[in-house]
Amino acid sequence: MRSKELSRRDFLRLVGIGGGAALLNACAPRVLTETVFPPTSTAGMNTAATSGAVDVEIALKAVEGEVQILPGNATRVWRYQAEVLSGPADAVQVIPGSYLGPIFNVKRGQTIRIYFTNELRESSIVHWHGLHVPVEADGHPRLAIESGETYIYEFTVLDRAGTYWYHPHPHGRTGPQAYAGLAGLLLISDDEESGLGLPSGDYDMPIVIQDRRFDNNNQLVYGGNGMMDQMMGFLGDQILINGQIDFSLSVETRPYRLRLLNGSNSRIYKLAWDDGTPLTVLATDGGLLEKPVEREYITLAPAQRVELWVDFSKDEIGSERNLVNLPFDAYGGGSEYQVLPVKVEKDVTVSAPLPETLSNITWQDADKAVNRRSPRDFTLAMGGGMQWSLNGRTFEMNDVAKDEIVKLGDLEVWEFKNQANGGMGMGMMNETLPHPMHVHGLQYQVIEREVDSSGRSAWETLKDGHVDEGWHDTVLVMPGERVKILLKFEDFTGLYLYHCHNLEHEDMGMMRNYRVDA
Ligand code: C2O
Ligand code: CU
């Protein structure tokens, strides 16, 4: 059995509950027409743009294509392609041989314009996950464009240095589109970060973790378990790193910065080094921590990022260590399997000490929240019609409820409560699910977790891996758990989203608007 396959037990559990596999896309790629950039006129285009000069201009398109992932037939994928139209050439960095979109490298303070052209045969839109941008640039599903259309994004990079990402966000189709390959990293740097002397260049490695399933012709399989995949979330049986199935990291005996993104649709990882070395964390979703922190293992839910500082200087040449997933007690957590094998191959002597302090952070104070005595709360549960819901509601494209309106400038406490069994009597739903809750348009602080007795034992198997220090845009809420977050609504008014980042749950409607009013 391949080392990166999940255990047989996990696999059987996956295939045992459903029928045959459905091909994601059985059609041949069509001939694409060339689009000329920048367009001479924006007439008839969807745009949030001005006509002024910006620091970086990028043409981005979503296309159908093929990549070699497995030996034999190439795999049909959907992918992002980009080129720099003006600004620094390294603003777009292709990952060779990967279906993943290119890495966008931008600096805090830069103004960015992106011409996104949809060359898929269905509607789509791009969301800049984690970024604090105006609503017109946030990729809300109501802004989705049809095949052949272009949407122009324009925003200033206001966020802290860190690891962010981009992916599609059309309603009901985010799961399949991201699964087909549409996702990429967006890295922000700033002066504070560059002054730290963290490992850079070849020693600063993106590690995008995803799970996929392939049929006998090497084609991606999605939704083969029908309703079950929708209800629970899609799980693959193979782990891919940066879009590659046999990825192994060759390192020198020196420190590295590894930027981990869980780009999976619904799989949660409990990551640890197989030799027991603790993990040193530099950053979370919203950038650098104040100081590095250590964990025995890291819990990484879909959409979450964590940056690790890993020192291989005491490892022997020829030795290996593996980042593995440890078993835990929640959906997808049944077994131990390999995630990232590392081979130590070259001897070097480099002095690159781990900085003691990483960043100066001005925290918000929960006591100053306008609703500190009665947090805005959201119950995550299975609602009527067998749909995951937020306070009993599912997604509505243009509407908000009264209790989903916040005021510009306010600091608020929100509480997500994962109702342990959602009132369901159905046998298969007895395994209640964790929900990674994402809020668009800002970074928040995680200020409190509490779990009830029904959820405690499962919760214990993942709780020590949360890195609640730092800024977050996605937080895992386990069955029976309540998590409080602290959010400040700044700079922009309008309609943003909050939703579960289990993409199958999101597509089913476990997503709502919230509105920031002036
Ligand atoms: Cu990464 Cu609304 O999502
Ligand atoms: Cu969910």
Side-chain angles (χ1 to χ4, degrees):
M1 141 181 232
R2 303 171 76 99
S3 58
K4 268 188 249 170
E5 278 179 6
L6 307 185
S7 79
R8 188 169 164 74
R9 189 177 139 234
D10 230 18
F11 182 72
L12 289 175
R13 200 160 149 243
L14 285 169
V15 297
I17 47 181
L23 282 184
L24 183 71
N25 170 21
C27 311
R30 68 186 168 140
V31 179
L32 304 173
T33 48
E34 248 344 279
T35 316
V36 182
F37 285 102
T40 44
S41 142
T42 55
M45 280 186 176
N46 300 283
T47 181
T50 63
S51 53
V54 289
D55 299 315
V56 189
E57 270 187 308
I58 293 170
L60 172 69
K61 51 188 183 178
V63 302
E64 296 177 6
E66 287 194 336
V67 283
Q68 196 74 45
I69 299 176
L70 294 158
N73 292 339
T75 303
R76 288 187 294 272
V77 296
W78 293 355
R79 63 203 304 197
Y80 287 122
Q81 288 175 343
E83 64 177 300
V84 179
L85 302 173
S86 71
D90 70 352
V92 162
Q93 182 193 341
V94 171
I95 305 178
S98 177
Y99 58 74
L100 288 178
I103 301 172
F104 287 8
N105 292 299
V106 299
K107 291 197 181 64
R108 191 176 193 174
Q110 275 178 334
T111 48
I112 313 281
R113 189 179 296 137
I114 298 166
Y115 302 88
F116 168 61
T117 302
N118 177 11
E119 295 188 357
L120 306 172
R121 279 171 289 184
E122 60 182 60
S123 66
S124 195
I125 192 73
V126 182
H127 168 55
W128 314 99
H129 182 116
L131 295 199
H132 179 50
V133 293
V135 285
E136 300 79 23
D138 188 52
H140 188 286
R142 73 182 185 284
L143 305 174
I145 54 169
E146 298 306 319
S147 182
E149 292 185 327
T150 296
Y151 189 94
I152 309 179
Y153 293 86
E154 189 173 306
F155 57 87
T156 301
V157 180
L158 299 173
D159 290 277
R160 306 174 68 237
T163 305
Y164 303 82
W165 64 302
Y166 60 99
H167 62 75
H169 222 301
H171 184 48
R173 295 289 295 163
T174 297
Q177 289 193 5
Y179 183 77
L182 294 170
L185 288 168
L186 186 153
L187 308 182
I188 300 178
S189 59
D190 65 18
D191 293 342
E192 182 188 48
E193 179 211 28
S194 351
L196 292 172
L198 292 171
S200 62
D202 290 346
Y203 311 107
D204 176 358
M205 285 289 304
I207 303 288
V208 179
I209 310 171
Q210 296 174 310
D211 59 339
R212 295 289 185 267
R213 294 177 73 179
F214 297 90
D215 69 11
N216 293 334
N217 290 317
N218 295 349
Q219 302 310 310
L220 290 165
V221 175
Y222 181 75
N225 292 321
M227 205 50 193
M228 205 59 194
D229 275 352
Q230 284 294 308
M231 298 286 246
M232 306 293 278
F234 173 89
L235 294 178
D237 56 8
Q238 304 256 318
I239 300 299
L240 277 73
I241 300 291
N242 297 344
Q244 282 154 26
I245 208 147
D246 284 320
F247 187 92
S248 131
L249 186 65
S250 300
V251 299
E252 303 174 5
T253 53
R254 52 155 295 148
Y256 280 74
R257 176 182 188 177
L258 303 185
R259 301 174 184 255
L260 274 48
L261 159 67
N262 180 351
S264 310
N265 281 31
S266 84
R267 184 176 286 280
I268 296 165
Y269 300 92
K270 176 176 181 176
L271 301 168
W273 291 113
D274 61 354
D275 66 355
T277 313
L279 299 109
T280 304
V281 184
L282 297 175
T284 52
D285 299 341
L288 294 168
L289 301 171
E290 289 180 298
K291 297 177 190 343
V293 299
E294 282 201 348
R295 292 288 186 277
E296 293 304 312
Y297 66 87
I298 301 283
T299 302
L300 204 63
Q304 288 186 316
R305 288 86 67 205
V306 89
E307 294 182 22
L308 304 178
W309 189 86
V310 195
D311 188 5
F312 297 104
S313 61
K314 300 211 171 63
D315 291 45
E316 310 240 321
I317 295 294
S319 67
E320 292 186 17
R321 48 159 136 153
N322 300 305
L323 197 61
V324 295
N325 176 78
L326 301 176
F328 55 88
D329 194 2
Y331 185 55
S335 60
E336 175 164 339
Y337 54 87
Q338 180 166 282
V339 174
L340 173 69
V342 180
K343 295 194 177 96
V344 184
E345 292 192 326
K346 191 169 162 214
D347 204 7
V348 294
T349 310
V350 173
S351 148
L354 174 65
E356 273 170 38
T357 43
L358 298 168
S359 181
N360 280 312
I361 297 180
T362 315
W363 299 111
Q364 300 292 348
D365 176 359
D367 288 336
K368 303 223 168 83
V370 294
N371 63 350
R372 65 191 176 285
R373 286 200 193 86
S374 56
R376 204 179 279 274
D377 57 2
F378 301 93
T379 298
L380 324 177
M382 182 62 75
M386 296 296 285
Q387 268 184 302
W388 292 106
S389 64
L390 299 163
N391 280 345
R393 306 172 182 126
T394 52
F395 187 58
E396 293 174 275
M397 191 63 91
N398 297 299
D399 292 330
V400 284
K402 272 209 195 73
D403 56 8
E404 292 171 316
I405 301 170
V406 301
K407 208 166 159 282
L408 185 68
D410 275 0
L411 178 69
E412 288 206 6
V413 180
W414 285 16
E415 184 174 41
F416 295 121
K417 307 183 199 176
N418 188 342
Q419 199 162 303
N421 66 25
M424 296 298 304
M426 266 178 72
M428 70 178 175
M429 299 309 295
N430 277 345
E431 184 172 16
T432 55
L433 297 185
H435 300 287
M437 293 303 299
H438 173 46
V439 182
H440 278 220
L442 48 79
Q443 294 285 329
Y444 52 74
Q445 290 162 235
V446 177
I447 56 173
E448 201 180 296
R449 290 176 184 273
E450 228 183 287
V451 71
D452 67 18
S453 54
S454 72
R456 178 162 293 272
S457 69
W459 182 79
E460 300 271 357
T461 67
L462 284 173
K463 75 164 169 54
D464 293 335
H466 298 306
V467 187
D468 287 342
E469 295 91 341
W471 294 104
H472 298 266
D473 53 55
T474 308
V475 69
L476 185 64
V477 188
M478 288 289 284
E481 189 177 26
R482 297 159 166 255
V483 179
K484 284 198 185 115
I485 63 172
L486 185 62
L487 331 79
K488 179 134 198 204
F489 307 98
E490 291 176 299
D491 306 316
F492 310 119
T493 55
L495 216 52
Y496 289 95
L497 297 163
Y498 64 102
H499 62 85
C500 176
H501 219 289
N502 174 317
L503 296 184
E504 286 69 42
H505 296 184
E506 172 184 340
D507 280 345
M508 265 185 113
M510 195 180 189
M511 170 159 81
R512 292 285 303 173
N513 290 317
Y514 75 94
R515 198 177 74 206
V516 185
D517 281 0

